[in-house]
Amino acid sequence: MVTIAVDIGGTKIATGIVQDSQPTIVHNRQVRPTRAKEGGEVVVAETIAAITEQQEFARTKGWEVQRIGVGAPGVVGDGVILHSGVTMPNWQGTDVQDRIQSICGLPTAVNNDVRVMGLGEAVYGIGADKEVLFVSIGTGIGGAIVRSGQLIDSPHFSRGEIAYLLGPTPDGGCDRIENVGSGPAMAKAYGTDRLEDVMADYRSGVSAAISTITDAMRCVGAALGGFITAYDVDAVVVGGGVGTLPEILEPFAAGIHSQLLNSHSSVTCTQATLGTNAPLVGAAHLARNVLSKELS
């Protein structure tokens, strides 16, 4: 039995097929443009077209597709987009789950894209028996809390929206961590439009670039350290386009541990390992997990 896994992003929709017997292997990974600026209806239509192609591929292999798992941007509650950012116009209010289920004819599970990616990294990286805070650092900052292989429900479906945490800034102030440690925020602090420029100078030994990255990551880590002390987890996994850069791990982890209690000394901080397949691996796990409970 297999799951069609879907990752809806701001610029592209990735899909693949994951067999139950090989939960970390993605078959027939395909990518198409999201066409986000054209609105939610177009995004859903593109998603359904991509899923239909995967259904056809599964038939050629003789695979029985049981379910669909989807990671989608925004705050997602019961398959509906409850809140979305400026990168996805007319996305809020879209009932992603119902549209896909009714047209594709398969039970469908939908959750926030970062939460789904964190689910994959937590279960198949750290271990399904752990409580994990997943942190994604890229063009923005997002998160997920995974307990014993499951995403934790919350009253307003926003658990994991760590971008809104307040923390220290390198100049001694206070701001949301996304405004301090996201890729665009660090590039802006360095006086450029591209984080690639900062990293190139960092690797060339330019002290200003080194301090920009190091100070920002320590500040983000410190804010998360306070959160971890209050909430308590076994481990932290950091991923995303910025989060998987090897240079960020040491200052990020140092910032976290600067705000932990002695009793939290066993909390580990590691980088993500599944790469670009993490959202699809997580989406497949979400579908297997959620839909098996609904059918039991």
Side-chain angles (χ1 to χ4, degrees):
M1 294 188 291
V2 302
T3 303
I4 294 176
V6 183
D7 176 39
I8 303 173
T11 59
K12 66 181 184 300
I13 299 167
T15 59
I17 294 179
V18 179
Q19 294 178 301
D20 291 3
S21 60
Q22 296 177 304
T24 61
I25 297 175
V26 177
H27 299 274
N28 196 42
R29 189 178 192 275
Q30 299 291 322
V31 176
R32 64 168 60 208
T34 304
R35 297 172 62 187
K37 292 182 180 180
E38 298 176 56
E41 290 299 314
V42 171
V43 174
V44 171
E46 287 294 321
T47 302
I48 290 170
I51 292 169
T52 301
E53 289 181 359
Q54 293 291 358
Q55 287 177 297
E56 290 297 328
F57 178 83
R59 288 190 191 100
T60 67
K61 294 289 187 180
W63 292 342
E64 180 185 1
V65 180
Q66 290 289 103
R67 58 191 89 82
I68 300 169
V70 182
V75 176
V76 182
D78 297 325
V80 180
I81 308 301
L82 303 178
H83 174 81
S84 64
V86 296
T87 59
M88 298 287 288
N90 300 313
W91 184 234
Q92 185 170 311
T94 304
D95 192 335
V96 179
Q97 180 175 302
D98 181 71
R99 290 287 305 283
I100 292 174
Q101 236 170 214
S102 60
I103 294 175
C104 297
L106 288 168
T108 302
V110 185
N111 210 315
N112 168 269
D113 53 350
V114 175
R115 247 77 91 206
V116 167
M117 178 166 60
L119 181 63
E121 289 287 357
V123 172
Y124 299 106
I126 293 296
D129 61 332
K130 304 293 185 182
E131 184 150 347
V132 179
L133 170 64
F134 175 76
V135 180
S136 175
I137 306 177
T139 54
I141 293 181
I145 296 169
V146 183
R147 178 185 297 156
S148 300
Q150 299 181 54
L151 293 169
I152 307 302
D153 291 331
S154 65
H156 303 96
F157 307 100
S158 65
R159 185 163 291 163
E161 292 290 334
I162 57 174
Y164 297 89
L165 287 174
L166 294 176
T169 62
D171 62 1
C174 179
D175 203 347
R176 291 178 179 175
I177 60 172
E178 189 169 76
N179 296 336
V180 176
S182 67
M186 290 190 288
K188 181 180 179 181
Y190 193 64
T192 184
D193 294 327
R194 304 185 330 134
L195 184 66
E196 291 88 343
D197 298 334
V198 189
M199 294 311 302
D201 285 355
Y202 180 108
R203 290 161 184 157
S204 296
V206 178
S207 60
I210 293 171
S211 62
T212 295
I213 300 298
T214 300
D215 293 349
M217 288 297 99
R218 282 183 180 274
C219 287
V220 172
L224 291 172
F227 171 76
I228 292 164
T229 295
Y231 191 86
D232 199 5
V233 296
D234 290 304
V236 181
V237 178
V238 58
V242 176
T244 49
L245 294 172
E247 294 87 353
I248 71 96
L249 184 60
E250 184 177 348
F252 177 76
I256 287 175
H257 283 278
S258 73
Q259 298 301 314
L260 296 182
L261 305 178
N262 291 337
S263 54
H264 290 87
S265 60
S266 64
V267 173
T268 59
C269 183
T270 59
Q271 288 178 303
T273 58
L274 295 179
T276 56
N277 279 342
L280 298 179
V281 170
H285 182 83
L286 173 78
R288 287 193 302 272
N289 198 327
V290 170
L291 297 175
S292 65
K293 289 180 180 178
E294 292 180 357
L295 294 173
S296 62

